[in-house]
Amino acid sequence: MNVKILFFASLREALGTASESYTLPAGGLTVGTLRAELALRGERWQALAPGRNVRAAVNQRMAGPEVELRPGDEVAFFPPVTGG
Amino acid sequence: MSISVQEEDFDVGAEIDALTAGRVDVGAVASFVGLVRDANEGSGVSAMTLEHYPGMTEQALADIVAEAEARWRLNAVRVIHRYGRLVPGDRIVFVAVAGAHRGEAFAACEFIMDYLKTRAPFWKREETPQGARWVDAREGDDAAAARWGTGGEGGR
């Protein structure tokens, strides 16, 4: 019932972690509610708070906050991309 | 399509040659090379490090090229994006598109770059005299992607 969460770039630095395993609650979770849960953990985690410019991907595709998470999913949070 | 995400540099001439080698149906090749500049937003830049999301990066680039191939009739597409630490003058990214005519080659090349700037998971960290800093995304990049008609800002 776990998902893998990845953090990249400035978000990874702000949180001080690159990845973790997260246990999904019985009722399931969307990308948006997971983000809100994480933001409640404390000061550093405010980097994920509403209003911060954070993007998400599920199983390596861009995903909006409404996307439902399933056990085994890989969820990533990161700032807007700046390649090219 | 051929996509590479790599630390190593690449040879622009060899890549363009390879795109058309052995075929006679190509009338036009449009290419773009992105380079590291020595200044950004008023500060000198001595180096930059590109981080990416292995796995998603390749998938995102493949999706972008597939979208270009659905919009225009193209003979071949080559995309190379580097990661790791680069210094001013280094090549970062290469896009080349071969088509029957220049119109589709120019358009597809620009489209791929515009989408890459907003959808491919790369992040730049610059080294400046004031210290290292993450580069902020530009609103202009979202606008450039949006003008092609679908959401360029995240592919929701």
Side-chain angles (χ1 to χ4, degrees), chain A residues 2 7 9 11 14 25 31-33 35 39 46 52 54 57 68 80 84:
Chain A
N2 284 7
F7 304 103
L11 197 55
V31 169
T33 48
R35 178 178 162 181
Q46 283 296 303
R52 300 296 188 93
V54 172
E68 290 277 348

Side-chain angles (χ1 to χ4, degrees), chain B residues 14-127:
Chain B
E15 293 295 340
I16 291 175
D17 283 348
L19 212 54
T20 59
R23 56 193 306 170
V24 292
D25 54 344
V26 174
V29 176
S31 66
F32 173 85
V33 181
L35 306 165
V36 179
R37 263 195 329 269
D38 69 354
N40 189 32
E41 294 182 0
S43 292
V45 173
S46 55
M48 70 164 55
T49 300
L50 275 136
E51 177 175 331
H52 78 115
Y53 180 174
M56 179 171 171
T57 312
E58 292 79 358
Q59 184 61 54
L61 293 173
D63 286 350
I64 293 164
V65 173
E67 199 159 335
E69 288 176 336
R71 285 179 180 233
W72 294 280
R73 218 148 31 126
L74 308 174
N75 293 124
V77 179
R78 177 81 171 117
V79 178
I80 305 173
H81 204 303
R82 296 178 69 188
Y83 61 90
R85 190 169 183 274
L86 303 172
V87 298
D90 281 353
R91 285 175 278 267
I92 305 174
V93 61
F94 174 75
V95 175
V97 177
H101 304 285
R102 74 180 183 285
E104 57 221 11
F106 273 134
C109 187
E110 191 168 22
F111 170 92
I112 290 167
M113 272 311 300
D114 284 348
Y115 268 39
L116 184 157
K117 294 286 280 188
T118 56
R119 291 188 177 185
F122 288 97
W123 300 275
K124 286 176 181 156
R125 185 178 166 83
E126 295 174 337
E127 296 169 32

Side-chain angles (χ1 to χ4, degrees), chain A residues 15-59:
Chain A
L15 300 176
T17 183
S19 70
E20 70 172 77
S21 180
Y22 186 93
T23 304
L24 290 176
L29 209 58
T30 63
V31 169
T33 48
L34 171 60
R35 178 178 162 181
E37 287 291 324
L38 296 175
L40 292 175
R41 284 176 169 178
E43 197 177 333
R44 281 182 301 160
W45 295 85
Q46 283 296 303
L48 287 162
R52 300 296 188 93
N53 206 348
V54 172
R55 305 292 165 91
V58 174
N59 298 330

